[in-house]
Amino acid sequence: MTARARIRNAALELFGAEGVGRVSLRAVAQRAGVSHALVLHHFGTKEGLRQACDDYVISLVRDAPDADLGDTAGLAAMLEAGTAVRRYLGRAFLDGSPQAAALFDELVAATGRWLEQGVREGWVQPSDDPPARAAMYVTYLLAPLAFGEHLARSQGVPDVHDLRTLLRFSRAGIEIFTRGVFADERALEAWDAVRDDRGSQRGSR
Amino acid sequence: MTARARIRNAALELFGAEGVGRVSLRAVAQRAGVSHALVLHHFGTKEGLRQACDDYVISLVRDAPDADLGDTAGLAAMLEAGTAVRRYLGRAFLDGSPQAAALFDELVAATGRWLEQGVREGWVQPSDDPPARAAMYVTYLLAPLAFGEHLARSQGVPDVHDLRTLLRFSRAGIEIFTRGVFADERALEAWDAVRDDRGSQRGSR
DNA sequence: CGGCATACTAACCATATGGTCAGCAGAAGG
DNA sequence: CCTTCTGCTGACCATATGGTTAGTATGCCG
């Protein structure tokens, strides 16, 4: 592997694990087995390195192979990526990097089309607010990026990356999306009551 | 407001917005209008300040008033909190601070009980894997903490904190939890097929 | 009043950091 | 063989950072 790529990967891991601010160029260099000057030589500046990481990670998702699952293949790729990439992605979304924002918007658009098609073909429930639903749906699918660690730990599973755990949680998610959580409409009705009540505080849950 | 509290709040805002690593004690001190030495005087060390922020923010959620909505009132409090607190919480979960982990586990436990009760009383769908579902449900509810910014922007809403936006998305979420997304069981069946197929890769979506 | 703790600051220190620079090894090509 | 270009390094620099210390103002209790 080229030194440049080694540096990028090292940065990816460290940035994902600790956050960009807490990782020094020297630490990256050491992990990559090069001098810290070489990092600058290749990426110009720390921000440049960060950008390169963003670009790389996001290209992984965007150029995901096999679109046979519809336009949401990128989402699948995202959730299958390695721990480092997942954590990095979570941070990228939280930090609001422009690339991450663009990716999110793309995902929402693609998912919106996909859901729309599903509605037409009858295998997706219609929605009272399709754009908002598409965005929420994407957010839900992305949520494990940010909370994966807690998900695993809360079930007493040591390794976040254990395949069985991943499968188990994805199954639970699909169950929610297929059968819903609530058995009647009372939550929706309660929400509408809140809204009609001059949209005071609590509209959540 | 006491200087100590001012410092804590300043730290909360800056840490939430930029990440702990990227914020210097001097920046915190300046925002609080004190010398940087006072920050150390009160909190001992930067890590101490971070801890104090964690404790404070999490106490906000844990000691949420009105448990009239059941044990999940803390979740509501979380989602209603100010931008700074929300962002800080998102980062706290991503960074895996012990406090955040404990809070997550509490939320999962409380939600699990709440769902269980709902199942008994008939207003919550039964699940094939209640613990996993509870964890996933909590994760979904928490997701806007990490992705709120993108949610808003993807809908062209400038201000993340606009009440109408918040209500709109929460409504979309409730809709998903009430009616589901999929109209038939094919997604679940597809998942089971993947699992039986020796649980190869893709079990998501 | 005197003594004492508490809140606070200015000045200082060692260190680590991002970034620069001059130069070296070695392959490419004439 | 000589040149040149690229990947790469060690040494260096200015700065900012977390942390310490000595000292000041202030309010409280006897």
Side-chain angles (χ1 to χ4, degrees):
Chain A
M1 186 177 2
T2 152
R4 194 190 153 105
R6 263 191 356 256
I7 295 172
R8 193 204 338 95
N9 288 355
L12 213 56
E13 287 177 36
L14 293 180
F15 286 172
E18 314 252 359
V20 183
R22 283 218 245 233
V23 175
S24 72
L25 292 183
R26 265 127 171 135
V28 174
Q30 188 180 1
R31 188 179 195 101
V34 300
S35 74
H36 98 276
L38 187 62
V39 179
L40 280 313
H41 172 73
H42 276 305
F43 299 95
T45 160
K46 192 181 188 181
E47 177 58 24
L49 177 58
R50 200 202 111 108
Q51 287 272 345
C53 288
D54 269 27
D55 289 341
Y56 174 68
V57 145
I58 281 172
S59 77
L60 281 186
V61 177
R62 184 172 287 137
D63 307 337
D66 56 15
D68 58 325
L69 297 178
D71 271 316
T72 52
L75 281 169
M78 217 148 168
L79 302 177
E80 286 167 11
T83 313
V85 173
R86 292 170 56 113
R87 296 194 73 162
Y88 187 92
L89 273 169
R91 278 215 155 75
F93 281 121
L94 222 156
D95 289 341
S97 89
Q99 279 99 317
L103 176 62
F104 187 90
D105 292 347
E106 278 177 38
L107 289 174
V108 169
T111 302
R113 288 193 298 272
W114 183 70
L115 289 173
E116 196 183 348
Q117 178 190 349
V119 170
R120 277 198 309 271
E121 296 176 2
W123 46 275
V124 167
Q125 301 279 2
S127 167
D128 296 336
D129 185 349
R133 173 175 71 169
M136 278 307 260
Y137 183 61
V138 168
T139 299
Y140 289 162
L141 291 183
L142 257 33
L145 280 187
F147 299 94
E149 204 174 336
H150 299 286
L151 265 178
R153 191 210 48 249
S154 76
Q155 300 302 307
V157 184
D159 183 13
V160 197
H161 227 76
D162 180 62
L163 182 60
R164 302 169 66 149
T165 312
L166 230 62
L167 286 175
R168 182 172 163 213
F169 283 124
S170 69
R171 156 85 205 204
I174 297 176
E175 188 192 86
I176 289 180
F177 294 137
T178 299
R179 300 183 185 154
V181 169
F182 301 120
D184 56 37
E185 301 255 323
R186 78 179 65 179
L188 268 179
E189 285 160 11
W191 187 93
D192 289 338
V194 169
R195 182 196 51 189
D196 298 343
D197 194 39
R198 193 202 46 72
S200 69
Q201 315 89 309
R202 185 163 316 100
S204 37
R205 214 243 265 115
Chain B
M1 186 177 2
T2 153
R4 195 191 152 104
R6 264 191 354 255
I7 294 173
R8 190 197 351 88
N9 288 355
L12 212 58
E13 289 178 35
L14 292 180
F15 286 173
E18 314 252 0
V20 183
R22 283 218 245 234
V23 175
S24 72
L25 292 182
R26 265 129 171 133
V28 173
Q30 188 180 3
R31 187 178 194 99
V34 301
S35 75
H36 98 275
L38 187 62
V39 179
L40 280 312
H41 173 72
H42 277 304
F43 298 94
T45 160
K46 191 181 188 182
E47 178 58 24
L49 176 58
R50 200 202 111 109
Q51 287 272 346
C53 287
D54 269 27
D55 289 340
Y56 173 68
V57 144
I58 280 171
S59 77
L60 281 186
V61 176
R62 184 172 287 137
D63 307 337
D66 55 16
D68 58 324
L69 296 178
D71 271 318
T72 52
L75 281 169
M78 216 149 168
L79 302 177
E80 285 166 9
T83 313
V85 174
R86 292 170 57 113
R87 296 194 73 163
Y88 187 93
L89 273 169
R91 279 215 156 75
F93 280 120
L94 222 158
D95 289 340
S97 90
Q99 280 98 319
L103 175 63
F104 187 91
D105 292 347
E106 279 178 38
L107 289 175
V108 170
T111 301
R113 288 193 298 271
W114 182 70
L115 289 173
E116 196 183 347
Q117 178 190 349
V119 171
R120 279 199 308 271
E121 296 176 2
W123 46 275
V124 166
Q125 301 279 2
S127 167
D128 296 336
D129 186 348
R133 174 176 69 170
M136 278 306 259
Y137 183 62
V138 168
T139 298
Y140 288 163
L141 292 183
L142 257 33
L145 280 186
F147 299 94
E149 203 174 337
H150 299 285
L151 266 179
R153 191 210 48 248
S154 75
Q155 300 302 307
V157 184
D159 182 15
V160 196
H161 227 76
D162 180 61
L163 181 60
R164 302 169 66 151
T165 312
L166 229 62
L167 286 175
R168 183 174 162 211
F169 284 124
S170 69
R171 157 85 206 204
I174 297 176
E175 189 193 87
I176 289 179
F177 294 136
T178 299
R179 300 183 185 155
V181 169
F182 301 121
D184 56 37
E185 302 255 322
R186 80 177 66 177
L188 267 179
E189 285 160 12
W191 187 94
D192 288 337
V194 169
R195 183 197 50 190
D196 298 342
D197 193 39
R198 194 202 45 73
S200 69
Q201 313 91 310
R202 187 163 316 100
S204 38
R205 212 243 263 116

